[in-house]
Amino acid sequence: METKFNNILGLIPARYASSRFPGKPLADIGGKPMIQRVYEQASKVLPDVYVATDDERIENAVKAFGGRVVMTATTHQSGTDRCEEAIEKVEAASGKKYHAVINIQGDEPFISPVQIELLASAFLKAETEIATLVKVADNSQDLFNPNKPKVVVSVQGNALYFSRSPIPYLRGVEEKEWHVKHKYYNHIGLYGYRADILREITKLERGTLEKCESLEQLRWLENGYSIAVMETELESLSIDTPEDLEALKVRGLI
């Protein structure tokens, strides 16, 4: 199908050997493997979607539901690295050149096509290098949760910094009031990269900031790349452990 996103490639990195949930991409979600749920949601927006995996079991599962898949190395340290290899292989096999890549998390079977479309729209501007999503942190629990990274955003709509701590520090204000007195943003871990920028950032060494916070995106900021920020009102729902999956079943969401 021809769409405004025809030159944007959707990639879903998927590993079998997850330490917290081995075989997670193949977990049953309402009669379908999780990876199929993600693939179907992404395909509602992007005409070209591939699963990028390092495991034949995932490859076979994707082929079984009629999806497209590309095999990648087992040595990648991040989904970003896997995406870089995948676009090289997809372009070589298809003969098509892509302007940008959307990196879609393989553990979010309920990801909204609206979020994917919002992120992809950032690349309708040729100057966009990297893009990601944020959501307003509207409660103290999220704000002070180190597992929910925060983003400081410039007037121009670019990320200034990512941190596991709430930044800025509100001097003279009780912590329980911080989210009321200032607009804080939680990071939603969905990324897009211009294809040439993706090839560049995967060659960078880990920097001081990334080592401190254990946040990959700080490597890009530290090296001078710009990250456009798009605001969403939708919460992402990832499945990281078998317990997460059971909790969703108890809530009747599966």
Side-chain angles (χ1 to χ4, degrees):
M1 60 179 176
E2 289 289 332
T3 77
K4 60 184 177 180
F5 302 135
N6 194 51
N7 65 346
I8 297 179
L9 175 64
L11 291 174
I12 309 170
R15 294 186 310 119
Y16 190 92
S18 167
S19 58
R20 289 187 292 179
F21 195 166
K24 179 169 62 173
L26 303 183
D28 183 84
I29 307 290
K32 296 180 181 180
M34 187 187 306
I35 196 67
Q36 182 176 354
R37 294 284 181 184
V38 178
Y39 187 96
E40 289 173 347
Q41 292 297 88
S43 297
K44 292 176 182 178
V45 177
L46 302 174
D48 292 342
V49 177
Y50 287 76
V51 173
T53 188
D54 60 3
D55 191 277
E56 289 184 356
R57 288 163 289 190
I58 296 174
E59 179 190 27
N60 292 335
V62 174
K63 288 180 176 178
F65 67 73
R68 291 184 282 189
V69 60
V70 57
M71 291 296 289
T72 54
T74 60
T75 53
H76 292 304
Q77 298 299 306
S78 70
T80 301
D81 293 333
R82 196 174 302 282
C83 283
E84 192 279 329
E85 182 187 357
I87 188 177
E88 300 296 343
K89 289 191 170 181
V90 170
E91 287 189 340
S94 66
K96 185 174 180 178
K97 295 296 181 184
Y98 292 93
H99 171 68
V101 170
I102 304 299
N103 177 354
I104 301 145
Q105 302 295 315
D107 59 3
E108 295 187 11
F110 307 111
I111 188 169
S112 169
V114 173
Q115 288 184 315
I116 298 172
E117 183 171 8
L118 177 63
L119 186 62
S121 69
F123 294 94
L124 298 179
K125 297 180 180 179
E127 66 271 20
T128 300
E129 295 184 339
I130 305 169
T132 194
L133 300 182
V134 299
K135 182 180 181 294
V136 172
D138 57 7
N139 62 79
S140 291
Q141 184 176 357
D142 282 355
L143 185 58
F144 289 93
N145 182 350
N147 294 317
K148 290 199 170 186
K150 270 62 67 174
V151 192
V152 182
V153 182
S154 73
V155 173
Q156 291 77 23
N158 293 320
L160 291 172
Y161 192 73
F162 294 80
S163 181
R164 296 186 182 278
S165 300
I167 297 176
Y169 177 88
L170 289 192
R171 186 176 181 182
V173 179
E174 291 188 39
E175 289 186 349
K176 65 181 181 181
E177 295 292 321
W178 280 20
H179 69 283
V180 178
K181 300 295 184 180
H182 179 77
K183 193 173 187 179
Y184 290 90
Y185 292 101
N186 285 326
H187 181 219
I188 304 294
L190 188 67
Y191 290 110
Y193 330 86
R194 208 170 70 205
D196 60 323
I197 299 298
L198 174 60
R199 293 178 173 101
E200 291 179 14
I201 62 177
T202 49
K203 294 181 174 67
L204 299 173
E205 297 292 333
R206 292 183 73 210
T208 302
L209 299 177
E210 179 184 0
K211 290 176 182 177
C212 288
E213 298 256 21
S214 191
L215 295 174
E216 176 190 22
Q217 59 272 36
L218 291 176
R219 185 188 320 179
W220 313 332
L221 287 182
E222 195 169 5
N223 282 276
Y225 290 93
S226 64
I227 304 177
V229 169
M230 317 290 284
E231 184 177 345
T232 177
E233 295 181 356
L234 301 174
E235 186 66 75
S236 61
L237 186 62
S238 62
I239 298 175
D240 296 319
T241 65
E243 290 74 24
D244 291 341
L245 184 59
E246 289 304 313
L248 292 178
K249 291 179 180 178
V250 170
R251 291 166 58 187
L253 296 178
I254 299 177

